[in-house]
Amino acid sequence: MYCDFWNLTQAPFNQRLDLEFFFESELHEEALARLLFIADEQKKCGILSGPAGTGKTLTLKVFQQLLKRTPHQCEIIDLIGLGEEELLWQVCASLRLGPSFETKLPQLWRQLTDYLTGLQLTQGRQILLLDHVDQARTECIPAIERLLHTGNQQFPSLSLVLSLDKLNVSQAETLARLSDLSIELDRFEQETTEDYITSRLNWSGCQTSLFSDAAYQEIQSVSQGIPEKINQICDLALLAGFEQNLSTIDADVVNRVCHEIRGTSVSRNRISEAIQRV
């Protein structure tokens, strides 16, 4: 809606998990290096953690893309709401083992065990990226532990990367015991937030800064350096700037947008009217 007004080729702050918009901050660069270490050194389990919205899922997708240039086989499975049987079914389906909807849990374990045994015989490597582990049912944690102990432990053919925001104490203790390597994505500092916004704008064809210094500071303060929140604030700020025919987004616009996000109205500023017309 606002792209023509700001001379942009596309909306720079959409929330799609698009590899084109992956911003490789120092944090994300280190995370990818550690993930590649797990793959190359045949580690059994790594844990990717960090606050919600810091880009864990997108980082996993980038890692999977990088592994396409290697002999490693890699699949991503989203665990939100899954129990043990659903998890095993999804794993078997992702590995193209052909489970039917009627396949029971013991048969799923047998299919997977046979697959991993065959993989060991051919010296193959399988990497499973399990996303949102903390949002799976509690029964999935013992299933993940069993998965790690399936097959020949001296020459393991399977590596797991577990992505999560946070776990309860008992779950954290279990996974810490299983993990070979910890990988953490943290919030952006002020300078990284500014670089992130600038990069997003550049990818969308913008060669000038659309945000004032004070606006950057306000975005950092409100978003607390979480990329997902930064996207939401900047997207609505550009919409508000378009509606008010502004040449620059200042701190006042950011502040008004943040009130809109929280649902606490300030003086009438036409942002809501612009949103309604999208």
Side-chain angles (χ1 to χ4, degrees):
M1 179 178 181
Y2 56 68
C3 289
D4 290 342
F5 176 81
W6 294 109
N7 295 317
L8 301 173
T9 57
Q10 56 187 320
F13 298 104
N14 67 70
Q15 299 281 23
R16 296 194 308 270
L17 294 178
D18 192 336
L19 298 183
E20 178 185 356
F21 283 93
F22 180 68
F23 176 72
E24 194 170 338
S25 69
E26 290 185 4
L27 295 169
H28 292 83
E29 182 181 6
E30 176 64 20
L32 285 173
R34 286 172 175 255
L35 289 169
L36 289 169
F37 175 79
I38 290 172
D40 293 339
E41 298 301 320
Q42 301 184 4
K43 299 299 182 181
K44 291 188 64 176
C45 182
I47 296 180
L48 174 63
S49 63
T54 49
K56 296 185 294 297
T57 299
L58 185 56
T59 300
L60 291 180
K61 289 182 177 295
V62 172
F63 175 54
Q64 183 186 39
Q65 188 70 22
L66 291 175
L67 288 185
K68 289 184 177 180
R69 310 169 191 169
T70 73
H72 304 301
Q73 302 176 61
C74 182
E75 301 292 339
I76 298 179
I77 300 173
D78 194 331
L79 269 61
I80 291 180
L82 298 189
E84 180 184 5
E85 188 166 343
E86 295 169 298
L87 167 61
L88 263 292
W89 194 95
Q90 290 285 1
V91 170
C92 289
S94 296
L95 299 179
R96 299 162 187 83
L97 304 183
S100 71
F101 289 112
E102 291 76 26
T103 306
K104 301 300 182 182
L105 187 58
Q107 286 73 41
L108 292 172
W109 276 114
R110 173 50 56 194
Q111 285 184 356
L112 190 54
T113 300
D114 290 345
Y115 169 78
L116 293 176
T117 300
L119 205 59
Q120 287 172 331
L121 294 175
T122 60
Q123 297 185 334
R125 291 288 298 167
Q126 178 68 57
I127 299 173
L128 291 179
L129 311 178
L130 305 183
D131 201 8
H132 300 112
V133 171
D134 51 333
Q135 297 184 52
R137 297 178 190 172
T138 54
E139 64 200 67
C140 280
I141 301 299
I144 289 171
E145 184 171 10
R146 178 178 173 181
L147 193 57
L148 282 170
H149 288 86
T150 299
N152 187 327
Q153 296 304 294
Q154 187 175 359
F155 304 103
S157 58
L158 176 68
S159 293
L160 297 183
V161 174
L162 314 178
S163 174
L164 52 95
D165 297 341
K166 58 182 178 180
L167 295 165
N168 62 42
V169 175
S170 62
Q171 292 172 327
E173 289 177 351
T174 300
L175 293 185
R177 175 167 45 83
L178 300 175
S179 174
D180 294 313
L181 187 63
S182 176
I183 307 160
E184 186 174 1
L185 287 180
D186 207 346
R187 307 166 192 269
F188 288 165
E189 299 291 342
Q190 176 74 48
E191 183 179 356
T192 307
T193 293
E194 295 182 19
D195 289 342
Y196 174 75
I197 294 172
T198 301
S199 295
R200 282 268 183 164
L201 290 171
N202 289 342
W203 287 329
S204 300
C206 180
Q207 302 302 318
T208 60
S209 178
L210 302 183
F211 294 85
S212 69
D213 291 342
Y216 281 127
Q217 294 173 6
E218 186 70 15
I219 292 168
Q220 175 68 13
S221 175
V222 176
S223 70
Q224 298 183 326
I226 301 291
E228 188 175 74
K229 293 182 179 179
I230 295 170
N231 289 343
Q232 184 183 24
I233 293 168
C234 290
D235 187 51
L236 290 180
L238 291 178
L239 177 63
F242 154 69
E243 175 63 20
Q244 298 173 44
N245 198 32
L246 302 177
S247 59
T248 304
I249 303 298
D250 58 21
D252 182 62
V253 174
V254 173
N255 182 264
R256 290 173 182 270
V257 161
C258 293
H259 279 282
E260 292 282 344
I261 293 172
R262 299 188 193 106
T264 54
S265 180
V266 292
S267 60
R268 193 167 183 82
N269 54 33
R270 298 181 297 175
I271 299 176
S272 296
E273 295 176 6
I275 295 171
Q276 291 170 5
R277 289 201 294 271
V278 174

